[in-house]
């Protein structure tokens, strides 16, 4: 691939997805896009770029798909889920007691392991959350990975990565060579296609936002913009969970680190009573219709 074509792809991907590729990542682009080029009947990436330059929207979407589908696994990094069980949900149970409802957003949900991990944590705490309505929403830019998420089907390799054996036995059923998460857990998560570069105010406000291992691919200015919009989507007294290599420090004043809870942040706005989400009253079960 010529330097000019690589430069074009870098700009194309940044405009479409926010992905900020450095000049030394050409090897990564080539490894991910050559299988796509061959599938399209092309022999070189230069031909692929020419098709995109010529206005092939299908190939353009496939390129974004190939470059933004990132690795994920159940209970990734473990610590954020410890925070969820030990600190986040217990505090929200107290501060949201009057409305008995929680809204959780998993941004860049990929193939669903993260939102389903959250759902299993919530299910395991059902005694404390009896009568509460818990809404979990997973979003991703890719329609293809969202379809996999909705199916809840995973390979042996995927369920072996991070998933405790007791939860595999409790919440999964083997189907041929695949494992499918129970309909009960699947029903707790809604999936929607969303590009974080675009406006997401229509999503409403959340008590907890997981936005992990996605902002590392954006430049500083884009990170700051997204943090500002995440803050507006956050209920007062809510929580933001970032990836281990991500931080708000030096990028925004809208969030501050939570003491002794690595990767967990709170909005800097003055704590106030959370708003009541229409249709989310008391006495409802811990389930969210898809």
């Amino acid at each position: 691939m010529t330097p000019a074509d690589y430069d074009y792809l870098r700009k194309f991907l940044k405009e479409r997805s926010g992905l900020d590729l450095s000049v030394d990542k050409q090897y990564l682009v080539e490894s991910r896009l050559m299988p796509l080029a061959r599938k399209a009947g092309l022999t070189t990436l230069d031909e692929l770029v020419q098709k995109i330059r010529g206005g092939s929207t299908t190939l353009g979407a496939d390129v974004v798909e190939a470059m933004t589908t990132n690795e994920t696994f159940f209970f990734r990094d473990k610590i954020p889920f410890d925070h969820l069980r030990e600190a986040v949900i217990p505090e929200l149970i107290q501060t949201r007691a009057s409305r008995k409802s929680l809204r959780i957003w998993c941004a860049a949900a990929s193939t669903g392991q993260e939102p389903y991990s959250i759902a299993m944590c919530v299910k395991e705490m059902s005694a404390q959350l009896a009568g509460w309505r818990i809404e979990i929403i997973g979003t991703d830019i890719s329609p293809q990975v969202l379809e996999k998420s909705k199916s809840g089907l995973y390979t042996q390799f995927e369920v072996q990565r991070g998933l405790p054996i007791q939860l595999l036995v409790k919440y999964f059923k083997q189907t041929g060579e695949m494992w499918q998460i129970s309909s009960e857990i699947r029903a707790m998560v809604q999936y929607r296609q969303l590009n974080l570069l675009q406006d997401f105010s229509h999503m409403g406000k959340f008590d907890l936002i997981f936005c992990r291992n996605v902002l590392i691919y954006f430049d500083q200015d884009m990170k700051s913009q997204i943090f500002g919009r995440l803050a507006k989507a956050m209920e007062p007294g809510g929580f933001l969970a970032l990836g281990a290599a991500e931080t708000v420090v030096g990028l925004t004043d809208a969030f501050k680190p939570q003491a002794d809870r690595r990767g967990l942040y709170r909005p800097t706005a003055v704590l106030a009573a959370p708003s009541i989400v229409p249709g989310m009253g008391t006495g409802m079960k811990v389930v969210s219709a898809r």
Side-chain angles (χ1 to χ4, degrees):
M1 180 166 49
T2 67
D5 283 342
Y6 178 58
D7 189 52
Y8 174 82
L9 279 177
R10 288 177 61 206
K11 292 176 181 176
F12 175 82
L13 287 164
K14 186 170 183 178
E15 289 172 1
R16 295 292 185 93
S17 68
L19 184 62
D20 187 31
L21 290 168
S22 58
V23 293
D24 61 345
K25 289 293 192 293
Q26 184 168 333
Y27 71 93
L28 175 65
V29 174
E30 291 175 343
S31 66
R32 289 203 178 188
L33 296 189
M34 267 313 298
L36 177 62
R38 294 192 189 101
K39 186 178 178 181
L42 307 173
T43 56
T44 67
L45 288 184
D46 293 327
E47 293 177 58
L48 180 69
V49 172
Q50 290 307 311
K51 290 282 188 182
I52 298 172
R53 285 180 185 269
S56 176
T57 55
T58 301
L59 269 180
D62 289 344
V63 164
V64 172
E65 170 84 20
M67 293 304 303
T68 57
T69 300
N70 300 306
E71 181 183 60
T72 185
F73 47 92
F74 289 101
F75 296 95
R76 184 176 182 179
D77 301 330
K78 186 179 180 295
I79 291 175
F81 301 97
D82 290 341
H83 294 339
L84 182 67
R85 288 183 289 254
E86 298 167 5
V88 175
I89 290 182
E91 180 173 330
L92 290 174
I93 286 175
Q94 293 183 350
T95 59
R96 277 41 170 173
S98 62
R99 76 177 196 199
K100 286 196 172 183
S101 65
L102 297 177
R103 298 191 78 226
I104 301 170
W105 176 20
C106 181
S110 191
T111 45
Q113 285 95 322
E114 185 170 87
Y116 286 140
S117 296
I118 295 170
M120 284 185 277
C121 286
V122 168
K123 189 65 179 174
E124 290 292 293
M125 300 180 74
S126 57
Q128 300 98 300
L129 292 164
W132 284 62
R133 178 169 175 86
I134 313 297
E135 185 179 8
I136 303 171
I137 298 175
T139 66
D140 201 275
I141 191 174
S142 165
Q144 285 89 335
V145 299
L146 289 175
E147 285 305 308
K148 178 179 171 64
S149 300
K150 291 174 185 176
S151 75
L153 278 167
Y154 298 96
T155 64
Q156 183 72 36
F157 176 72
E158 288 171 323
V159 297
Q160 286 177 330
R161 299 188 72 197
L163 182 66
I165 185 64
Q166 66 269 27
L167 295 184
L168 174 64
V169 172
K170 190 172 184 179
Y171 295 120
F172 287 75
K173 178 182 178 182
Q174 192 161 16
T175 305
E177 296 183 354
M178 305 290 285
W179 290 84
Q180 185 167 40
I181 199 163
S182 71
S183 57
E184 185 179 32
I185 298 298
R186 275 183 284 144
M188 293 176 66
V189 185
Q190 304 172 52
Y191 288 102
R192 303 177 190 174
Q193 186 180 6
L194 181 76
N195 187 336
L196 284 174
L197 298 188
Q198 299 168 352
D199 176 61
F200 47 74
S201 60
H202 62 281
M203 297 274 291
K205 292 187 179 292
F206 295 88
D207 302 291
L208 168 63
I209 299 175
F210 267 56
C211 188
R212 304 177 60 239
N213 306 306
V214 60
L215 297 181
I216 52 175
Y217 300 105
F218 297 165
D219 63 25
Q220 301 294 84
D221 182 58
M222 187 57 66
K223 288 178 187 176
S224 297
Q225 290 182 40
I226 292 175
F227 279 134
R229 290 189 285 127
L230 287 174
K232 292 178 181 178
M234 180 77 68
E235 288 278 17
F239 294 85
L240 171 67
L242 298 180
E246 298 166 325
T247 182
V248 303
V249 177
L251 292 169
T252 181
D253 295 323
F255 293 96
K256 59 184 177 183
Q258 175 79 358
D260 303 319
R261 294 284 177 181
R262 179 170 62 84
L264 198 61
Y265 300 83
R266 308 295 299 272
T268 53
V270 177
L271 182 63
S275 63
I276 301 298
V277 178
M280 295 183 68
T282 60
M284 304 180 85
K285 294 182 180 180
V286 184
V287 63
S288 181
R290 296 175 69 191

